[in-house]
Amino acid sequence: MFMNLSCLKKTLSFCCSICCHQCCLYNFRHTYHYYIHGVDGNDQEKIRINDHVSNIDIQITLLERSPRIPRVMNLREVENDMQTLYINSSFSTFEFKATGAGDSLVEGLIRYHPFLYDRETYPVDPYALEDEDEDCVILNSEARGKRPIFECFWNGRLIPYTTVSEFEWCARPKKAGAVPLECYNRISGVLFANDRFQVSTNKLTFMDLELQLRDNNTIFTRVHNGQELRVKIEREFTNWLKECHERFDKQVMFQGFLGSTTRTDVATKRLQSPWAQFHTIKWDSKTYKKGQCVKSVKTNPVFVGSIVKFLLYGEHEGDVYGTGGYVQIALEPKELYDELRIVPISKIDRLAAAATIKKKIEDELAKLPDQLRVTWPEGNAWAENEARPAGTPMGPVKVEILNKKGDSMSRLPVAGTTKKLLIELKVIWHSPKGDVQTNSHIGVHSSKWEYWFKPMENLSKLGKYTLHLQTMLSDNSASEWAGKRLPNHTLKFSIKEGEAVSFVLGIISSPVHVGVPFSIPLDFRDEFDYPTQPPCDIKPQLECSSLQLSYEGIAFGTTCVIRNVRAMGQISHQNKVGSDIYLPGPPHTLVVLPDGDVLSVENRTPANFRVEVHDEYQNITTQPKLTVRCQLLGAPDLPVDVVDCSNTGSGLLLTKPLLLKTVNAEQILTAKFNIPNHRTVACVERQLRVLPSSRISRLEIYRQEEGSDDVMVLQNAERIDWTAGDTLGNLCFRLYDEGNRLVSLRPKLTSMIKVNWTADINAEELSQGKLPPLSVPSQAQREHFYHVSFHDQHTVNFSFIIVPRPDEPERLRVNLSESTVKMGEILSGNIYVELVDQYGNKTDCLNADIVKTLSVSADGLDKSALAVEWQASSGRLSVCRVRFVGGTPGPRELCFKYQDMMEFVRIEVTAGPPVQIKLLEKPEMPLQVVNGQGLDAPLVVQLCDEWGNPSPDQRIEIMMKALMPKLKVHLREERSCHILTISVYEGVHQLQFQGSFGRKGIPGPVVKLNLIPDPNKPVELSIKYDSAASLHAGDIFPVFTVIVISEDGTPVRNICPANLSMLLWKGTVSGSYPPSTASTLKCSKRKDTENDDCFCFRDKQIPELAGQYVVQFVLALDETKHLWSKQTPLNVVANKAVKLAPEAPASTPVVSNSSNRTNRTLLDSLNLKIMDQYGNAAGEGLDGKVIVTVKGTGDVALPLFENGETSVSYRSVMEVCSNPCLIFWSLSDAENQKVIVSLSKKKDRLSQTVLMYQEFFDTNNQLTSELECRHCRFWFTILTKIENQPLRKCGISDPFKGSPQVLGKVGHLAQVEDDDAAKVISWHILGDMDCVVTETTSAAKKIYDDTQGRQQVIPLETVFWRPNDRPLPHIRNGSPLFRPIGNPEFVKDMLIFPEHVESCNKVFASLLGDTILIDDLDSANHYRRGVVQNKMQCPTLLTRQGERIRSNGKFGGLQNKAPSIEKLRGQVFGAPLPKEYNRIRHQMELLQQCCVAMQKASEVRSEYNSHLEHLQSPEMKQKQQDLQQQEQELRELEETLGMCFWHCRAAYFLNAKPEFR
């Protein structure tokens, strides 16, 4: 249909421009787009495919003022309206429907406009203003931006003033999810509403479209391929949008995140950061990386460069997609363009080839300077490595700079500033001490002579040189440009010495001696004083001031040498040859001074001879190892003296004093002088007269009483007896010289006298010849040494020995060998009595007569047994057989008396040997005792001696003897109490205490007991069940009821059902205990209707095999004790008969239609057995018959029995049930029968063999599975229970555990069960928890050394420990002083030691002492107050709440409050196994089970491995192959039989059916 809109003439006939006309066309085309192009719109692809298009045309005529011709435009020809742009720029659509109230329906369409490489494809309004500035910074082109998604159409017409921005399910989310947020800006959509929606009269606005669509009753459904899908519209839209993004968006992939940065080159401040930096991008299936060279496009100018990094605005991390971005490029080549530029990624030329970029860079590099050209204008060119004489001038030099093209240049071809080039010249001398710069010049370019350098005339030093020419920049003197060195040139040469012009004397190799020839070297020099070769025509001239010189000749070589120069005459300091001084010649004469014949000298004084060594010309000479020796002759043992004249040529001999032994008169000695190393020098002799010395040589000690002429002279080393404690005085001394002449005493001499018995010496008495008095020691025990000495240049000694002797007797001394004795017993050992002086020295005044006068007395002393004896060998009295009788134990004073001297000794008397037993607190008789339990109050007995004193003897064994043989008593001792456990029949019984020491018995009291039976002690198991019930195999046992009977015959109710078990095994009653193969059944849960004293075993299955069984019940009392019931026999009979089976499998019979009876006989005999479902014989008592019927497999005639029927019945003479079936074959002739018989027999044999093999392998597989299960079950059920129990553990690391002689750290040695107790105890000794306990001090010292002293250690051998069984402080003599509250208990008793029990007791006794744990602080204060008021020492108290009261009574404060167990950071004692497992069941049971399980698991594993090896053995593999082979033969045989029977008649079944009456 064609629509002519000329009727709009009046509306449009106004004067307008061309632009206005285009806008009108655009608006009309937009409004009537779907009128013109149909439902699909102006889709160019669908127009080519679909021939069906809308036939509506709309034409618009524009009338303008005359004389212009009217302009006509068809709307179909407009191609730039928005809907056309939307349709053709979209890549995918999402269709949906919105159904509201009534028949209102809105069909919707959403289009996706992807991002392609560097731009958004979302269409832009052609009449909107555009920003054509390509270089502006666009951070994120948001495509649709803030415009609404949906435009609304009503019956195909656009309603322009109504738009829908979004729906809730397609709105942009607040947080980024699986779909990037920018994808939501790449969608556009249209809504097509039907006529149920109202519009305004001018059709510009919908009345209520958006309100109805946003109503909660509106249902949105997805439309796919024309089908509505009732799905979650939001999930479908998100998935569609995600798919569009992944398939169609061609964004830039930014990879290799390098961090964030700030761009200062951006003008807008808010856009300067953050910018993410990346290493690589993927864009348009191409990858651009850092360092890659690229070419720009649409830049002025176009440049090439290497990528530095990529920039993307925003905060990003990791790989990310972006709609664009920027790239930072370093311009290439860097030698010309040292610049960085940032351009949009879209400016990268994606079509530029790598070769093109490389060539452009190389062309640019060819403009740079490449080399230097050096020329010598005056022709004096220096070659490489050439040697020139010192002083030779170098130059002039001309230098040119050339590029790669060979062109000369003087500046860099760089855009912008001018870069002029300079040439630097340097000459480097390579001296032995390092490089030295001798010349340095800078050359400036000149248009006439390029770079010119003048001659250099300062090259005078010898050695190697290097000439360097280096190109530099004029502005900064840099020798590099863009990282590369500018052109340079190097020339290496050397400078050598010139001709000789002077000489100097060389070094003479050896010292110059008079008369000894030597050589003189001469060194020649050039003009720069460098050594050089000498001329050939030289003659030397030698001169000396006082010596005559001569030489033999001249030798020429590298140097000139004057040979064999000789000097003669007396030398002085002015005699020199060059710089060397003449030295004397070799030794020739020995001179001794003084030169007299005889020299007198006193003994012990030096002689002092001077010797000189002269050469041939009387010069004192020196030489190495030049020694002069002097030997004295004329007396024995004379010294030999040697002097070294190597340095001076002279020396002194015999400078030490002469020490002759005895010189009473003068002696003549001869001194002989010689030089040992020079035999040619003559010896010299001198006479020496030696006179006696006047020095002190002898000291004489004597004693002279005042006023007496008697003199007692002491001899050296004399022994003197003197009274102990007395003083030896009046000692004097005399001095004699070597000639035995008495020397007069002078203060100077006497001051040199020293004694060793005192340091306080009176100088005045000493000058008179008197020595200080000597005090003799008071103890007559050993000898004492005394010494007198004279100290001059030598020492004169005198000594004597004093032996002290006892003084007169003054008192008695009594020695006890034993100080303790039991009452009534004789003191072991003797008592010795001695007489001593005032200093305690034993005297010899005792004799045998004194025995009668010595008296001994004491309280309770038995004097009749006392004995006193004289010991002549030791000179003392011996008192023995000391015995005390009567009185109380304690100390006794024993008195010894002789004349007026008395002495007392103390002897500790203890209780005598125990002879009786007393009951301290006699209770009311008879005592009431429950059988098997202890007494309510302990019976305290006491051992006493014959005088009634308590005896502490621990060796006595106290026993209880029952006066009735049936009374059993168990005695257990705790501290000071004895606890009885009594087990007997009820009634009144007598119990007697008895003690024994070896074979000696001690009588005791008798106690009467009234025994009461224990109502809670199980003694018997009573079993009840329905014994008349028949037990059929496979059925359920009747209920077994077990009642536990106590001693008084009443049922015990407090029994755990888990401790009761039912044991069942096949066999007969034998013994009291079941076999190990018995199966165990557990007790059933008690029903509400059952009594609490009954334990039932119900729903227990009867074994499937009929026979005799035995059942027995057991009650586990503890880990080791069990109570067994009587064994009950059970008879299990067969169940109901259900099947009939032959005793042995029959072979397949074959019959034929023959007259021979044998060929027609099916079976001669067949024994059938009646069984239940478990295979037990069940035909007993049955009477009936068996009906045998023939059935066929096909539609064939059945063979008949002799009775003419297909069935026959037999009398049942055996047991019977289900219908066994026997296959047989019926043939038409006897010939075929023979063949089939042989094949059938072979088939039956193979079938039986195959069945046997299958059963064999099934049994092996079952055994393997069972062994695996048993193996796993033992490991995972037993070990898991023990190891996987959550317990509190000590977290202190212990690297020393396991080391030799190391127990471990304190925190690991003990365990505490209660958490609160563990916390407060661990905190109390927190400083010691990390201490390592060792057995020896050496092990502790090793740990101390290895840790540099940082580790605490405590060796056991240094710990003082005494067994302490004392009760708590509030208990004295077994009775409490007051009633405590709060359950006080010693802390050490709460510790559990897993190992090293004895050692741990010692350690923790020293760490904890008597510390007590109590419930709370109030209880602790109450306890301390009660202990202190009873005048007892109270130890430290700890509370379970974490408080501490110190032993001095102080409490409170943070230092006395324990922190939480978490803050201890693992420094806490570990916990033992739980009490319910540890004490009742688990500990012993699980350990025993673990041992058994380990053993069984090992056996099972061994059996399992053996069985697996057996299964893999060649024998088993052969059996498997035999099985497969026989199965194959069986299949082939069955196929053969099938073919045979197909040619014969058929196979038949013989069915036997039992019928019972």
Side-chain angles (χ1 to χ4, degrees), residues 262-299:
T262 301
R263 287 184 57 187
T264 57
D265 58 314
V266 179
T268 307
K269 188 173 183 180
R270 67 179 181 84
L271 302 180
Q272 290 181 351
S273 66
W275 286 87
Q277 306 175 87
F278 293 90
H279 180 274
T280 307
I281 66 168
K282 288 185 178 180
W283 179 36
D284 192 14
S285 69
K286 292 183 180 180
T287 301
Y288 296 92
K289 297 182 179 180
K290 178 181 178 181
Q292 181 177 347
C293 290
V294 294
K295 179 173 176 286
S296 67
V297 65
K298 295 184 180 180
T299 59

Side-chain angles (χ1 to χ4, degrees), residues 585-592 611-616 621 623 626-629 649 672-684:
H588 183 269
T589 307
L590 180 61
V591 178
V592 180
V611 294
E612 293 180 355
V613 181
H614 292 182
D615 63 0
E616 183 180 0
T621 183
Q623 268 193 0
L626 181 63
T627 58
V628 178
R629 182 172 178 266
K672 185 178 180 180
F673 300 89
N674 66 340
I675 302 176
N677 294 335
H678 296 270
R679 301 293 182 182
T680 58
V681 180
C683 297
V684 179

Side-chain angles (χ1 to χ4, degrees), residues 367-420:
K367 301 177 183 179
L368 293 174
D370 181 60
Q371 61 181 340
L372 297 181
R373 183 165 60 193
V374 181
T375 57
W376 305 84
E378 297 183 1
N380 54 346
W382 286 49
E384 184 75 15
N385 297 323
E386 184 181 359
R388 295 288 183 95
T392 304
M394 183 179 188
V397 181
K398 178 183 178 183
V399 184
E400 297 178 84
I401 302 176
L402 305 178
N403 59 17
K404 287 187 177 181
K405 298 178 181 180
D407 300 332
S408 178
M409 56 186 303
S410 63
R411 62 186 65 197
L412 283 176
V414 180
T417 59
T418 301
K419 298 286 185 180
K420 293 184 178 180

